[in-house]
Amino acid sequence: MNGKILWEQVQLVRQKSPLVHNITNYVVMNNTANALLAAGASPIMAHAKSEIQEMIGISHSVIINIGTLDEYWSESMILAAKTAHSTGKPWVLDPVGAGATSFRDQVLNQLLPYQPTVIRGNASEIIALAKANTTATKGVDSTAQSNEAVDAARSLVTRYGTIVCISGETDIIIDHQQEIFIKNGHPLMTKVTGLGCSATALIGAFIGIAEDKVMAVAAAMVLIGIAGELAAEESKGPASLQVNLIDQLYTITEQEFFNRLKIERK
């Protein structure tokens, strides 16, 4: 795959600074906002029902992350998904903990008909979302490998016309026409809470201004993966990785991006 196209997506975010409306979980709000800022985007965290429609009207994209779900936030999420769908605004669904409780599954079943532009989750979440089998979800951690969720992802693509990004040791992006495999990243990234949520937010920034949504998703996942690799090389552990990764999102160069790019398309 042409790395130049992916780097152009990174530069476009830096130049356009898309406004990303996040209804996300409060465990990761600060890190998510900082990741967006470091990559060049503009974050807004807002879940009040009375302002959702106006907020979506001025935003480039919407993130719905069900990590710390409750009854009020679920209503806000459904309203946001409905508004994004009706206005043609791209939106990303992060089905955190899908399959863990009936409440989460109920909310996800209400969100999916509004056809998210992208769904990003780990393998267990994608499998649970597609109801492909009875694979268990352990909180936000995956009990399955990304390649085990490919069939489930394909069913979601067919059913909802979405792009599915399965996160794992290898990130897999699937749409109607292609499958993309990304092998960037570092094992230490799994020890920092919410980096998947940051990846979701970056996807939102990239698809908010890109014509080719699949390439936008790929560019976002490559960016955070390479930033994680670079950060791990100068980090003593998870705490310093968290800080250094934000710095790398801000300082990453074209040469670093090209030198570490590990991606293929089938």
Side-chain angles (χ1 to χ4, degrees):
M1 180 177 289
N2 190 341
K4 183 179 179 181
I5 295 174
L6 299 177
W7 181 249
E8 287 173 354
Q9 302 281 342
V10 175
Q11 292 295 91
L12 190 62
V13 170
R14 290 175 170 177
Q15 293 163 8
K16 300 291 186 181
S17 191
L19 181 63
V20 184
H21 176 197
N22 296 264
I23 304 178
T24 191
N25 76 77
Y26 49 74
V27 175
V28 301
M29 278 191 189
N30 182 67
N31 291 342
T32 299
N34 282 328
L36 285 167
L37 284 169
S42 298
I44 182 74
M45 274 58 184
H47 61 268
K49 286 181 284 186
S50 58
E51 67 176 0
I52 279 177
Q53 291 174 313
E54 290 177 83
M55 196 67 74
I56 291 176
I58 63 172
S59 299
H60 290 86
S61 61
V62 183
I63 306 299
I64 297 178
N65 176 314
I66 70 164
T68 50
L69 195 61
D70 68 19
E71 287 73 11
Y72 181 91
W73 282 34
S74 66
E75 292 178 3
S76 298
M77 290 172 181
I78 293 164
L79 176 59
K82 180 180 180 180
T83 303
H85 179 68
S86 65
T87 59
K89 197 68 59 97
W91 71 282
V92 188
L93 174 62
D94 192 330
V96 179
T101 68
S102 57
F103 178 48
R104 286 177 186 271
D105 289 346
Q106 175 188 343
V107 172
L108 288 168
N109 285 334
Q110 292 176 281
L111 290 169
L112 284 169
Y114 296 113
Q115 297 178 293
T117 311
V118 181
I119 299 170
R120 191 219 62 85
N122 64 43
S124 293
E125 291 163 347
I126 296 302
I127 292 169
L129 199 61
K131 294 180 170 58
N133 59 35
T134 57
T135 298
T137 301
K138 187 186 73 174
V140 299
D141 299 323
S142 183
T143 58
Q145 300 299 312
S146 55
N147 63 332
E148 297 177 66
V150 168
D151 287 342
R154 288 173 181 155
S155 72
L156 290 168
V157 170
T158 300
R159 200 179 314 170
Y160 300 108
T162 186
I163 301 164
V164 177
C165 177
I166 313 165
S167 292
E169 185 176 352
T170 298
D171 300 319
I172 305 174
I173 301 166
I174 298 174
D175 76 340
H176 286 295
Q177 300 178 324
Q178 61 197 317
E179 295 179 6
I180 297 172
F181 299 82
I182 300 168
K183 296 185 178 181
N184 289 110
H186 191 278
L188 191 58
M189 295 172 72
T190 65
K191 303 300 181 183
V192 178
T193 188
L195 286 189
C197 302
S198 295
T200 296
L202 289 174
I203 287 171
F206 279 64
I207 67 170
I209 52 175
E211 292 186 13
D212 189 330
K213 305 302 185 190
V214 176
M215 287 301 99
V217 176
M221 294 305 294
V222 167
L223 175 63
I224 194 168
I226 293 176
E229 291 176 14
L230 292 166
E233 291 179 358
E234 57 183 4
S235 300
K236 294 180 179 180
S240 51
L241 177 77
Q242 191 170 29
V243 174
N244 290 331
L245 189 144
I246 298 295
D247 284 346
Q248 291 296 341
L249 287 173
Y250 183 75
T251 62
I252 190 169
T253 66
E254 182 177 6
Q255 197 61 51
E256 288 171 329
F257 190 88
F258 286 155
N259 286 348
R260 291 177 178 263
L261 181 62
K262 299 174 186 175
I263 187 170
E264 61 179 301
R265 178 164 52 189
K266 294 182 181 179

